[in-house]
Short mmCIF file of all heavy atoms in Angstrom, two decimals:
data_model
loop_
_atom_site.label_atom_id
_atom_site.label_comp_id
_atom_site.label_asym_id
_atom_site.label_seq_id
_atom_site.Cartn_x
_atom_site.Cartn_y
_atom_site.Cartn_z
N MET L 107 2.55 1.46 -17.36
CA MET L 107 2.11 1.47 -18.76
C MET L 107 1.93 2.89 -19.28
O MET L 107 1.95 3.12 -20.48
CB MET L 107 0.83 0.69 -18.92
CG MET L 107 1.03 -0.76 -18.66
SD MET L 107 -0.52 -1.60 -18.77
CE MET L 107 -0.02 -3.16 -18.15
N LEU L 108 1.75 3.84 -18.38
CA LEU L 108 1.60 5.23 -18.79
C LEU L 108 2.90 5.77 -19.36
O LEU L 108 2.90 6.75 -20.09
CB LEU L 108 1.15 6.10 -17.61
CG LEU L 108 -0.21 5.76 -17.03
CD1 LEU L 108 -0.49 6.63 -15.81
CD2 LEU L 108 -1.30 5.94 -18.06
N ASP L 109 4.02 5.11 -19.03
CA ASP L 109 5.32 5.54 -19.53
C ASP L 109 5.55 5.11 -20.96
O ASP L 109 6.45 5.59 -21.62
CB ASP L 109 6.44 4.96 -18.65
CG ASP L 109 6.37 5.48 -17.23
OD1 ASP L 109 5.80 6.56 -17.01
OD2 ASP L 109 6.89 4.78 -16.33
N ASN L 110 4.74 4.14 -21.45
CA ASN L 110 4.90 3.65 -22.82
C ASN L 110 4.57 4.74 -23.81
O ASN L 110 3.88 5.71 -23.51
CB ASN L 110 4.00 2.44 -23.08
CG ASN L 110 4.45 1.23 -22.28
OD1 ASN L 110 5.56 1.20 -21.77
ND2 ASN L 110 3.58 0.25 -22.17
N VAL L 111 5.03 4.56 -25.02
CA VAL L 111 4.78 5.53 -26.07
C VAL L 111 3.28 5.68 -26.30
O VAL L 111 2.55 4.70 -26.38
CB VAL L 111 5.48 5.10 -27.38
CG1 VAL L 111 5.19 6.07 -28.50
CG2 VAL L 111 6.96 4.94 -27.15
N GLU L 112 2.86 6.90 -26.40
CA GLU L 112 1.44 7.21 -26.59
C GLU L 112 0.97 6.77 -27.97
O GLU L 112 1.66 6.97 -28.96
CB GLU L 112 1.27 8.72 -26.43
CG GLU L 112 -0.11 9.17 -26.15
CD GLU L 112 -0.13 10.65 -25.85
OE1 GLU L 112 0.60 11.10 -24.98
OE2 GLU L 112 -0.90 11.35 -26.54
N GLN L 113 -0.18 6.14 -28.03
CA GLN L 113 -0.76 5.72 -29.30
C GLN L 113 -1.33 6.95 -30.02
O GLN L 113 -1.79 7.88 -29.38
CB GLN L 113 -1.90 4.72 -29.05
CG GLN L 113 -1.44 3.42 -28.41
CD GLN L 113 -0.55 2.61 -29.32
OE1 GLN L 113 -0.68 2.65 -30.53
NE2 GLN L 113 0.37 1.88 -28.73
N PRO L 114 -1.31 6.96 -31.34
CA PRO L 114 -1.89 8.10 -32.05
C PRO L 114 -3.36 8.28 -31.68
O PRO L 114 -4.12 7.33 -31.61
CB PRO L 114 -1.76 7.70 -33.53
CG PRO L 114 -0.80 6.57 -33.57
CD PRO L 114 -0.78 5.94 -32.21
N GLY L 115 -3.72 9.50 -31.39
CA GLY L 115 -5.11 9.80 -31.06
C GLY L 115 -5.45 9.56 -29.61
O GLY L 115 -6.55 9.83 -29.19
N GLU L 116 -4.51 9.04 -28.83
CA GLU L 116 -4.77 8.79 -27.41
C GLU L 116 -4.10 9.87 -26.59
O GLU L 116 -3.08 10.43 -26.96
CB GLU L 116 -4.19 7.45 -26.97
CG GLU L 116 -4.99 6.27 -27.39
CD GLU L 116 -4.45 4.98 -26.76
OE1 GLU L 116 -3.58 5.05 -25.89
OE2 GLU L 116 -4.92 3.92 -27.16
N SER L 117 -4.66 10.15 -25.45
CA SER L 117 -4.09 11.10 -24.52
C SER L 117 -3.77 10.38 -23.23
O SER L 117 -4.54 9.55 -22.76
CB SER L 117 -5.09 12.23 -24.26
OG SER L 117 -4.61 13.07 -23.23
N LYS L 118 -2.61 10.70 -22.63
CA LYS L 118 -2.26 10.09 -21.36
C LYS L 118 -3.11 10.64 -20.23
O LYS L 118 -3.27 10.02 -19.21
CB LYS L 118 -0.79 10.35 -21.04
CG LYS L 118 0.16 9.54 -21.87
CD LYS L 118 1.57 9.77 -21.41
CE LYS L 118 2.56 9.02 -22.26
NZ LYS L 118 3.92 9.25 -21.87
N GLU L 119 -3.61 11.85 -20.40
CA GLU L 119 -4.41 12.47 -19.36
C GLU L 119 -5.82 11.89 -19.39
O GLU L 119 -6.39 11.67 -20.45
CB GLU L 119 -4.46 13.98 -19.57
CG GLU L 119 -3.10 14.64 -19.41
CD GLU L 119 -3.19 16.14 -19.55
OE1 GLU L 119 -4.28 16.71 -19.35
OE2 GLU L 119 -2.16 16.74 -19.85
N PRO L 120 -6.39 11.65 -18.21
CA PRO L 120 -7.75 11.11 -18.18
C PRO L 120 -8.75 12.12 -18.72
O PRO L 120 -8.55 13.33 -18.63
CB PRO L 120 -7.99 10.83 -16.70
CG PRO L 120 -7.00 11.67 -15.97
CD PRO L 120 -5.84 11.86 -16.88
N ALA L 121 -9.81 11.61 -19.30
CA ALA L 121 -10.85 12.49 -19.83
C ALA L 121 -11.52 13.23 -18.68
O ALA L 121 -11.78 12.66 -17.63
CB ALA L 121 -11.88 11.66 -20.59
N VAL L 122 -11.76 14.51 -18.88
CA VAL L 122 -12.39 15.32 -17.85
C VAL L 122 -13.89 15.36 -18.11
O VAL L 122 -14.32 15.72 -19.21
CB VAL L 122 -11.80 16.75 -17.85
CG1 VAL L 122 -12.47 17.61 -16.80
CG2 VAL L 122 -10.30 16.71 -17.65
N THR L 123 -14.66 14.97 -17.12
CA THR L 123 -16.11 14.96 -17.28
C THR L 123 -16.67 16.35 -17.09
O THR L 123 -16.00 17.25 -16.57
CB THR L 123 -16.76 14.01 -16.26
OG1 THR L 123 -16.54 14.54 -14.95
CG2 THR L 123 -16.22 12.60 -16.36
N GLU L 124 -17.91 16.54 -17.49
CA GLU L 124 -18.57 17.84 -17.34
C GLU L 124 -18.67 18.24 -15.87
O GLU L 124 -18.49 19.40 -15.52
CB GLU L 124 -19.97 17.77 -17.98
CG GLU L 124 -20.65 19.10 -18.11
CD GLU L 124 -19.91 20.06 -19.03
OE1 GLU L 124 -19.34 19.63 -20.04
OE2 GLU L 124 -19.89 21.27 -18.72
N GLU L 125 -18.92 17.25 -15.02
CA GLU L 125 -19.03 17.52 -13.58
C GLU L 125 -17.70 18.02 -13.02
O GLU L 125 -17.66 18.97 -12.23
CB GLU L 125 -19.46 16.26 -12.85
CG GLU L 125 -19.67 16.44 -11.36
CD GLU L 125 -20.15 15.16 -10.70
OE1 GLU L 125 -20.85 14.36 -11.35
OE2 GLU L 125 -19.80 14.98 -9.53
N GLU L 126 -16.57 17.41 -13.46
CA GLU L 126 -15.26 17.84 -13.00
C GLU L 126 -14.96 19.25 -13.48
O GLU L 126 -14.35 20.05 -12.77
CB GLU L 126 -14.19 16.87 -13.48
CG GLU L 126 -14.25 15.53 -12.78
CD GLU L 126 -13.32 14.51 -13.40
OE1 GLU L 126 -13.01 14.64 -14.61
OE2 GLU L 126 -12.92 13.57 -12.69
N LYS L 127 -15.38 19.58 -14.71
CA LYS L 127 -15.17 20.93 -15.23
C LYS L 127 -15.91 21.96 -14.37
O LYS L 127 -15.38 23.02 -14.07
CB LYS L 127 -15.65 21.03 -16.68
CG LYS L 127 -14.76 20.33 -17.67
CD LYS L 127 -15.33 20.47 -19.07
CE LYS L 127 -14.53 19.66 -20.06
NZ LYS L 127 -15.11 19.72 -21.41
N GLN L 128 -17.13 21.63 -13.98
CA GLN L 128 -17.91 22.54 -13.15
C GLN L 128 -17.26 22.72 -11.78
O GLN L 128 -17.24 23.83 -11.24
CB GLN L 128 -19.35 22.04 -12.99
CG GLN L 128 -20.16 22.12 -14.26
CD GLN L 128 -21.53 21.48 -14.11
OE1 GLN L 128 -21.84 20.88 -13.10
NE2 GLN L 128 -22.34 21.60 -15.15
N LEU L 129 -16.72 21.64 -11.23
CA LEU L 129 -16.05 21.75 -9.93
C LEU L 129 -14.81 22.61 -10.03
O LEU L 129 -14.50 23.39 -9.14
CB LEU L 129 -15.69 20.36 -9.40
CG LEU L 129 -16.86 19.50 -8.91
CD1 LEU L 129 -16.36 18.11 -8.54
CD2 LEU L 129 -17.55 20.16 -7.73
N GLU L 130 -14.05 22.48 -11.13
CA GLU L 130 -12.85 23.28 -11.33
C GLU L 130 -13.18 24.76 -11.42
O GLU L 130 -12.41 25.61 -10.97
CB GLU L 130 -12.10 22.83 -12.58
CG GLU L 130 -11.39 21.50 -12.41
CD GLU L 130 -10.70 21.04 -13.67
OE1 GLU L 130 -10.65 21.82 -14.66
OE2 GLU L 130 -10.22 19.90 -13.69
N GLU L 131 -14.32 25.10 -12.01
CA GLU L 131 -14.73 26.49 -12.13
C GLU L 131 -15.01 27.11 -10.76
O GLU L 131 -14.88 28.31 -10.58
CB GLU L 131 -15.97 26.61 -13.02
CG GLU L 131 -15.70 26.26 -14.46
CD GLU L 131 -16.96 26.20 -15.29
OE1 GLU L 131 -18.06 26.40 -14.75
OE2 GLU L 131 -16.84 25.95 -16.51
N LYS L 132 -15.38 26.30 -9.78
CA LYS L 132 -15.71 26.79 -8.45
C LYS L 132 -14.49 26.91 -7.54
O LYS L 132 -14.59 27.44 -6.45
CB LYS L 132 -16.75 25.86 -7.79
CG LYS L 132 -18.08 25.87 -8.50
CD LYS L 132 -19.04 24.93 -7.83
CE LYS L 132 -20.36 24.88 -8.60
NZ LYS L 132 -21.29 23.94 -8.00
N VAL L 133 -13.34 26.40 -7.97
CA VAL L 133 -12.14 26.46 -7.16
C VAL L 133 -11.54 27.86 -7.23
O VAL L 133 -11.39 28.44 -8.29
CB VAL L 133 -11.09 25.42 -7.65
CG1 VAL L 133 -9.79 25.56 -6.89
CG2 VAL L 133 -11.65 24.02 -7.50
N ILE L 134 -11.22 28.41 -6.07
CA ILE L 134 -10.64 29.75 -5.97
C ILE L 134 -9.20 29.60 -5.50
O ILE L 134 -8.94 28.97 -4.47
CB ILE L 134 -11.43 30.63 -4.98
CG1 ILE L 134 -12.87 30.77 -5.45
CG2 ILE L 134 -10.76 31.97 -4.81
CD1 ILE L 134 -13.76 31.45 -4.45
#
Side-chain angles (χ1 to χ4, degrees):
M107 293 177 189
L108 297 176
D109 297 336
N110 292 344
V111 178
E112 199 173 307
Q113 297 293 330
E116 283 187 9
S117 173
K118 286 185 183 178
E119 295 183 22
V122 179
T123 65
E124 190 63 36
E125 183 178 329
E126 290 171 334
K127 288 179 186 177
Q128 290 174 354
L129 288 175
E130 287 177 8
E131 292 172 359
K132 295 179 183 178
V133 175
I134 299 172

